[in-house]
DNA sequence: CTTGACAAGTCAACAGTGTTTACTTATACC
DNA sequence: GGTATAAGTAAACACTGTTGACTTGTCAAG
């Protein structure tokens, strides 16, 4: 069915798969460098050298293009695989290193569009399947999903704040200290029993 | 200068301030109930019964309209005023109660558009002046802004996750337990010294 | 090789967005 | 009453995502 090679010929042959992939590659490149909302369908098409209508033909809508792009990459590559021991620290290190270095561009594409209502379902699936799900499975125990959701909140929140205010405040802390701190924060999220409150909370008046 | 009353007359007189306020009221109502991106300039204008061009005349752009709307409301009403003692718990309670009950609609408008690049400057100002700033002032100590930014990350992150996945996972915990947990998480953010890591972090290899 | 079918690709339009410009009109002062 | 000035308006601009009708390349059957 498929042509064996579509190689480098100038006026390339009609090849569904190759065209699809070409669109996907352009979308990933542009989304990750400029963000979802910034890049128009027509620009993706032009970058890929194909017609605009093909985006909707192959991916339903622009939304579907992002969904396919982010489905390709793991949220926590090689982190949950390490097991429960030291998980908070590994998450913290991952977060800090991609926070301070700009890190995985895909995360940026997601943070760019975190609140976009058009992408709610895309983000919902991503959050559940790639973050809360794996995390909950690793930590186990009661209310695992709630604890995982809390950790995911911290991870997304830090990324969001970094994107909004340029990490100016966060960079007051040097990376190592920030990792320490985030590790303890994430530990508090994932812990099975809610620990007695830290030194700053002596005034708890609840019954 | 201004007309003393523009009252209820049908074809109302030309009154700059009244028109401005009318637009602002419509924007607040629509933004908070449907979100920034959902509501078009033309719809706001129609709801206010004014011409579309007046939005840009009075607020520069749609962005300016949101900026003015969110400038009207405090981020943590009556929370930082309570001082350092019990601050994490008050923040946690505020967050949970507005999370579970839908809470202040303005926060929703913000979460709706958290990642919108067009609103970056608006969110930046809001984050710095209404969240990190007051928080840092209350907690004091070294790297106060960094610690405050961390707490703000948690607060924004939880709101974001709630909005994305409908709080399904977070609601595994009953509200009181969630408050406990969040209070300890926020305490970990605000603490002056990064505490020794909790029970799950025995594998720390730094130092 | 010719024919025909079907999928791949194209074009132009639609309805919508935020924004701007030129314009009309009502008001307030002289 | 006349007029400057501001308030309000209408129409357009350039752009967005999306759709349906159309053309064209390719492959299989006759």
């Amino acid at each position: 069915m498929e042509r064996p090679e579509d190689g480098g010929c100038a006026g390339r042959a009609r090849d569904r798969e190759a065209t699809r992939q070409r669109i996907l590659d352009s979308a990933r490149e542009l989304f990750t460098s400029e963000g979802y909302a910034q890049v128009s369908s027509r620009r993706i098409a032009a970058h890929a050298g194909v017609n605009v209508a093909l985006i909707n033909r192959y991916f339903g809508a622009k939304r579907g293009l992002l969904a396919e792009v982010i489905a390709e990459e793991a949220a926590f590559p090689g982190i949950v695989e390490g097991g429960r021991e030291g998980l908070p620290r590994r998450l913290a290190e991952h977060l800090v290193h991609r926070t301070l270095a700009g890190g995985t561009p895909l995360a940026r594409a997601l943070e760019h569009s975190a609140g976009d209502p058009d992408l709610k379902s895309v983000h919902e699936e991503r959050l559940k399947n790639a973050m809360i799900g794996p995390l909950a499975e690793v930590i186990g125990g009661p209310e695992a999903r709630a604890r995982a959701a809390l950790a995911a909140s911290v991870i997304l929140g830090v990324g969001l704040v970094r994107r909004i205010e340029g990490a100016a405040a966060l960079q007051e802390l040097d990376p190592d200290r920030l990792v320490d701190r985030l590790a303890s924060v994430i530990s508090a999220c994932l812990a099975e029993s809610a620990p007695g409150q830290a030194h700053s909370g002596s005034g708890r008046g609840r019954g």
Side-chain angles (χ1 to χ4, degrees), chain A:
Chain A
M1 294 297 182
E2 299 89 12
R3 51 182 40 253
E5 289 290 333
D6 72 322
C9 65
R12 64 185 185 283
R14 295 185 164 189
D15 185 331
R16 182 185 177 92
E17 276 317 304
T19 303
R20 236 189 87 100
Q21 196 58 47
R22 184 184 293 262
I23 295 173
L24 216 48
D25 290 342
S26 294
R28 180 175 37 250
E29 179 178 334
L30 293 173
F31 282 168
T32 53
S33 66
E34 305 187 31
Y36 175 80
Q38 259 54 40
V39 181
S40 72
S41 301
R42 283 174 176 82
R43 211 142 84 72
I44 298 171
H47 187 275
V50 306
N51 192 278
V52 205
L54 293 185
I55 290 180
N56 288 48
R57 174 189 282 281
Y58 288 142
F59 301 94
K62 193 190 173 192
R63 182 195 310 112
L65 199 41
L66 180 73
E68 194 131 340
V69 164
I70 67 179
E72 289 178 344
E73 194 164 317
F76 306 133
I79 289 187
V80 293
E81 286 82 352
R84 179 69 173 95
E85 203 69 20
L87 178 64
R89 172 154 292 266
R90 290 200 305 279
L91 286 170
E93 279 167 348
H94 175 69
L95 182 54
V96 167
H97 290 153
R98 86 158 164 73
T99 288
L100 297 186
T104 76
L106 202 48
R108 268 186 293 161
L110 276 175
E111 285 151 15
H112 279 161
S113 59
D116 192 328
D118 183 50
L119 300 174
K120 189 172 176 297
S121 61
V122 173
H123 287 135
E124 182 174 351
E125 197 194 358
R126 176 81 175 165
L127 179 63
K128 286 181 177 170
N129 297 345
M131 300 187 76
I132 297 179
L135 241 44
E137 196 178 354
V138 172
I139 62 176
E143 296 123 351
R145 289 188 68 82
R147 292 181 283 139
L150 230 46
S153 300
V154 170
I155 291 165
L156 289 180
V158 170
L160 193 65
V161 165
R162 183 198 77 93
R163 209 193 67 76
I164 291 178
E165 65 103 49
L170 286 177
Q171 280 182 340
E172 280 186 7
L173 289 164
D174 60 297
D176 283 349
R177 304 259 311 281
L178 186 54
V179 168
D180 283 347
R181 202 171 207 92
L182 272 170
S184 86
V185 171
I186 295 174
S187 282
C189 293
L190 297 178
E192 284 202 14
S193 58
Q197 200 161 338
H199 62 284
S200 60
S202 60
R204 42 187 309 187
R206 246 190 67 258

